[in-house]
Amino acid sequence: MNPGGAEKFTFILDIGKTHIKAHLLDARGHSVCVRETANRVIHAGDYPHYDTEAIWCFLLAGLTEFNRQHPVGAIAVTTHGAAAALVDRTRGGDGLVLPVLDYEYPAIESVSESYDAQRPPFAETGSPALPAGLNLGRQLAWLQAEFPAAFAAASDILLYPQYWVWRLCGARVSERSSLGCHTDLWLPWQGQYSPLVSERGWDAKFPSLANAWDCVGRVAAELAAQTGLAEVCEVYTGVHDSNASYLRYRKALPDAAFSVVSTGTWSIVMDASAGQEALQADRDMLANVDVFGRPFVCSRFMGGREFQAVCEHLGGATDQPCTAADVAALIAADILCLPAWQRGCGPFGGQLPKVQGYVSSSVVPSALASLYCALMLDYQLDLVASSGEIIIGGAFLKNPLICALLAQLRAPQRVLRSADLTGTVLGTAMLANWEEPAPVEQMQPVSPAKVRGLASYRDNWRQRVEQREDEQS
């Protein structure tokens, strides 16, 4: 609702695993205000957990500051997956009966023996067994086993985007894109909860489903008074973050064949044309569910984390400039960077990381990390049988070398750069303007690199990776 026909400004809260961003977008989708902070994990108390109080303060400060400059008419939230809040709706304050568990906490695996005996098969959920708490169902099972009284006291299990929606306006809802994100809780091809939810007694704690684009309420009166927001400011259901990146292209290009490469802490390759038969649980492939409830095939690895790990291993900075000539020197020296630099994640998550070959002082660490990430993305695109145009968005847009190497590896497929770094934000903003036509983005084609010997190097890299798989199995 826009009193007096004033321009609608939409506030986006984007909670990624590493960074938290607040954007205010105008009616044309241009970001007019931005705030950013680190997503802090508190390593104290019973287990590592997200600093939800700091996030709340960041959110309130952003709403107050932005609203002074432009009237905020709508709020939409997007967050990383594998997170949920256990709340008692009758409590004041944050409502939490337990802190929001960090999915990287390895102790969650202590329940794996009993949990794995009960979790539904991959063929039904499209959700592979993942390390630590990356399966949300495993997190909930661990919390229920370790803190039975607190767990029982929770009136609601709120998926992470919808937890913030509840705090903003009091609405309690669930949403498909977060439910279908390697949780074990959802059957993507049937569009319903998995048997695990009722068998564990969790079904009564999940609120009813809402569409990601539904306006589920207006900001609470006390929040409006605290921030200066108009009480007619609308709050929308929200969405899982990589699904937001995918949405902006799926809605604009409903019948086209394309792959989206969403990059950040996680690098996720998404393709709607690949069938269920393409899924391989042991390659960290999964079925995500879009905001319409339709499953689509994904392959992923922790691209941002692995890039950083390779650079640190070689004693270099992640922002060190590097060129195609640096990559050519690596190929000439037959230096191979082999996975996996994050335990248990990605198509080769069971392997031990290694840099093979003589690494001289002339080797540029960021060049090797770039080459490694381009090879991993190329492999992921093969896993999802990518055949159409490839759209890159997110953090790797800041690294033109990765984009150019990928374009060379994927030829003759076209690789396109998203026009901005805020694909997740723009996809989320679409929720608050659902009836508007999806904007067709003017994307920039990526010129392929011209690195001599790259194709042969890729063949050698893949052969060595496969050999190591046999050696370590």
Side-chain angles (χ1 to χ4, degrees):
M1 181 180 297
N2 298 305
E7 180 177 1
K8 182 177 183 178
F9 289 87
T10 302
F11 182 98
I12 305 299
L13 176 65
D14 178 6
I15 303 176
K17 187 62 174 70
T18 306
H19 297 98
I20 303 167
K21 301 173 184 175
H23 282 256
L24 188 67
L25 275 60
D26 64 18
R28 295 167 296 284
H30 299 148
S31 185
V32 295
C33 301
V34 181
R35 288 170 59 95
E36 183 173 346
T37 191
N39 191 2
R40 178 171 170 255
V41 173
I42 299 175
H43 294 274
D46 292 315
Y47 51 81
H49 55 278
Y50 302 118
D51 192 347
T52 51
E53 181 58 28
I55 298 173
W56 182 245
C57 291
F58 172 82
L59 171 58
L60 294 183
L63 286 169
T64 302
E65 176 189 337
F66 293 178
N67 191 65
R68 287 196 194 107
Q69 301 176 56
H70 305 282
V72 176
I75 304 172
V77 181
T78 184
T79 78
H80 61 79
L86 294 166
V87 304
D88 177 354
R89 72 183 74 147
T90 66
R91 285 193 184 191
D94 63 14
L96 294 172
V97 300
L98 288 166
V100 179
L101 175 58
D102 175 17
Y103 66 62
E104 295 188 81
Y105 185 42
I108 297 168
E109 294 181 13
S110 65
V111 299
S112 288
E113 184 175 352
S114 59
Y115 178 77
D116 288 345
Q118 192 175 20
R119 65 188 295 269
F122 176 70
E124 294 180 8
T125 63
S127 176
L130 298 172
L134 279 164
N135 296 119
L136 181 57
R138 195 185 312 274
Q139 280 188 50
L140 295 176
W142 183 81
L143 289 167
Q144 190 173 34
E146 293 292 319
F147 310 97
F151 194 98
S155 60
D156 299 274
I157 300 173
L158 299 177
L159 300 160
Y160 208 33
Q162 286 71 54
Y163 169 65
W164 300 103
V165 167
W166 174 69
R167 292 195 67 176
L168 285 164
C169 72
R172 293 175 292 105
V173 293
S174 299
E175 191 275 324
R176 294 173 184 84
S177 70
S178 290
L179 274 172
C181 176
H182 52 79
T183 63
D184 297 337
L185 305 175
W186 192 251
L187 303 179
W189 293 277
Q190 298 180 34
Q192 63 187 43
Y193 285 99
S194 77
L196 178 69
V197 177
S198 57
E199 290 169 7
R200 285 275 177 168
W202 300 337
D203 46 343
K205 294 182 185 291
F206 279 99
S208 59
L209 288 169
N211 295 314
W213 62 87
D214 286 345
C215 174
V216 293
R218 292 180 170 85
V219 293
E222 60 271 23
L223 179 64
Q226 186 175 355
T227 59
L229 293 172
E231 291 190 14
V232 293
C233 179
E234 298 170 335
V235 181
Y236 289 79
T237 300
V239 64
H240 168 237
D241 56 7
S242 61
N243 273 274
S245 297
Y246 175 79
L247 169 63
R248 60 191 301 226
Y249 304 110
R250 184 76 279 168
K251 194 177 180 202
L253 306 166
D255 301 316
F258 62 88
S259 302
V260 175
V261 181
S262 176
T263 63
T265 301
W266 288 93
S267 294
I268 304 177
V269 172
M270 300 170 273
D271 193 291
S273 57
Q276 183 178 359
E277 67 280 357
L279 290 172
Q280 301 177 60
D282 60 352
R283 295 295 187 202
D284 205 351
M285 298 183 72
L286 53 105
N288 266 2
V289 176
D290 68 18
V291 298
F292 305 102
R294 301 177 303 207
F296 60 96
V297 170
C298 299
S299 174
R300 57 185 214 146
F301 81 113
M302 291 190 89
R305 287 274 182 87
E306 296 214 344
F307 185 96
Q308 179 180 358
V310 173
C311 290
E312 290 177 351
H313 177 75
L314 297 175
T318 57
D319 59 354
Q320 182 179 6
C322 54
T323 66
D326 297 320
V327 171
L330 292 168
I331 292 174
D334 197 26
I335 298 172
L336 298 175
C337 182
L338 303 171
W341 296 84
Q342 289 292 311
R343 183 186 72 89
C345 297
F348 311 109
Q351 296 192 23
L352 299 174
K354 181 180 180 180
V355 174
Q356 178 178 298
Y358 173 65
V359 179
S360 69
S361 58
S362 64
V363 167
V364 179
S366 59
L368 185 59
S370 297
L371 177 57
Y372 169 76
C373 286
L375 291 167
M376 289 290 288
L377 292 174
D378 174 54
Y379 188 85
Q380 288 181 287
L381 286 159
D382 278 355
L383 287 176
V384 302
S386 175
S387 60
E389 293 185 325
I390 299 165
I391 304 164
I392 302 179
F396 280 176
L397 292 179
K398 299 176 183 178
N399 186 321
L401 182 57
I402 292 178
C403 299
L405 290 170
L406 185 63
Q408 181 178 350
L409 290 165
R410 297 309 300 181
Q413 280 181 275
R414 278 212 315 164
V415 175
L416 304 171
R417 288 174 53 93
S418 176
D420 55 68
L421 300 174
T422 56
T424 298
V425 170
L426 291 174
T428 306
M430 290 173 63
L431 305 178
N433 300 280
W434 194 251
E435 300 305 321
E436 298 295 324
V440 179
E441 183 185 348
Q442 297 300 313
M443 292 171 285
Q444 179 183 354
V446 176
S447 297
K450 298 177 181 178
V451 177
R452 188 173 181 178
L454 181 59
S456 298
Y457 181 91
R458 169 180 54 188
D459 294 342
N460 182 36
W461 181 83
R462 288 193 178 188
Q463 182 179 27
R464 182 62 186 130
V465 169
E466 290 166 2
Q467 288 174 349
R468 294 178 83 230
E469 218 161 29
D470 293 338
E471 294 166 2
Q472 296 178 20
S473 63

